[in-house]
Amino acid sequence: MIKTPWHSRLAFALALALPVYFAIAALGTKFGLWDWRTGLLTLTIKAGPILLGIVALIGLISLIVVLLRKPRKGWLLSLIALLVPVGIFAVLGAIRSQAADIPPIHDIATDTANPPVFSQTVLDQRAAAGANPLNDYTTPLGELEMWSESEPPLADRSHAQVIAAAYPDLAPLPLGSTSPAEAAELVVSAMEEMGFDQVTADAETGRIEGVAETFWFGFKDDMVVRIADGAIDFRSVSRVGVSDLGANAARIAALRDAVAERLNR
């Protein structure tokens, strides 16, 4: 009985270990084993491609050796060992390409002239977590420290201008005939159904707040909803990172749709 070559089995095992490695990098960040810079920037973005290249090279060499030697036992394991890192690399490349098309900001609101304001409690939580600062929407990004090295036209545009150009469909949600108190209950219901944590409502200010957390890496984004002047406005802000890859705008759109559905029932 001819055994599968050791190098095919080794390459296959290394390929299977790759998803485990990326999962550990992400979940280790989520559960506080290391900070997000280590998990995302170091382990995933910097070391990840190197590991992918090494495993892909081992898989390729193993496949060539197997195909050159009869009876070519183990070629499937070697092929899988090659395809797994190539596939992961393709996914990471697609994410990077997507990021290039999305403006590198992480603070999105439906009212850019007067964005909803977070409560002091949330501001204190953000400060304790070392979160990104909340910047004025009218200040050109190039004048803010986080984007100080940006080139025009981004550097010359403010948050309000970038949001208007990148997310033109985001808009306040009219209350219609629904009372502010009823609307607040509907917003709370929608946020809880979407999995927000720490959902709180202040009837006096018409403000509802909650925290969204991603499964991978455990990134937290703060959401504030304002009910005033016959409309519902939304704002979502990431605690860390420069670009949110469009996550905050997508979250606002999803919550807005969920609330609109409840208003029209």
Side-chain angles (χ1 to χ4, degrees), residues 53-131:
I54 292 174
V55 175
L57 180 60
I58 292 173
L60 177 61
I61 294 174
S62 176
L63 181 61
I64 293 174
V65 171
V66 168
L67 293 178
L68 290 177
R69 294 181 179 179
K70 293 182 179 181
R72 301 184 177 87
K73 185 77 172 180
W75 67 269
L76 183 58
L77 295 183
S78 299
L79 178 61
I80 293 174
L82 173 61
L83 294 180
V84 168
V86 170
I88 296 176
F89 196 84
V91 171
L92 294 178
I95 295 175
R96 188 166 186 172
S97 176
Q98 175 190 6
D101 298 328
I102 296 175
I105 60 174
H106 53 263
D107 184 348
I108 309 295
T110 54
D111 184 350
T112 56
N114 181 29
V117 178
F118 289 100
S119 66
Q120 189 60 49
T121 298
V122 172
L123 294 178
D124 291 343
Q125 291 174 350
R126 290 180 62 87

Side-chain angles (χ1 to χ4, degrees), residues 174-187 227-228 230-232 259 263:
L175 274 179
S177 59
T178 305
S179 70
E182 292 174 327
E185 293 179 358
L186 297 178
V187 172
I227 302 175
I232 305 175
V259 175
L263 288 175

Side-chain angles (χ1 to χ4, degrees), residues 134-183:
L134 298 175
N135 299 300
D136 187 285
Y137 268 37
T138 64
T139 304
L141 294 181
E143 296 180 14
L144 301 173
E145 181 179 357
M146 187 170 288
W147 295 274
S148 60
E149 297 182 3
S150 299
E151 299 292 336
L154 181 66
D156 299 331
R157 295 177 179 173
S158 65
H159 269 85
Q161 292 171 321
V162 172
I163 293 170
Y167 308 109
D169 296 333
L170 289 184
L173 178 64
L175 274 179
S177 59
T178 305
S179 70
E182 292 174 327

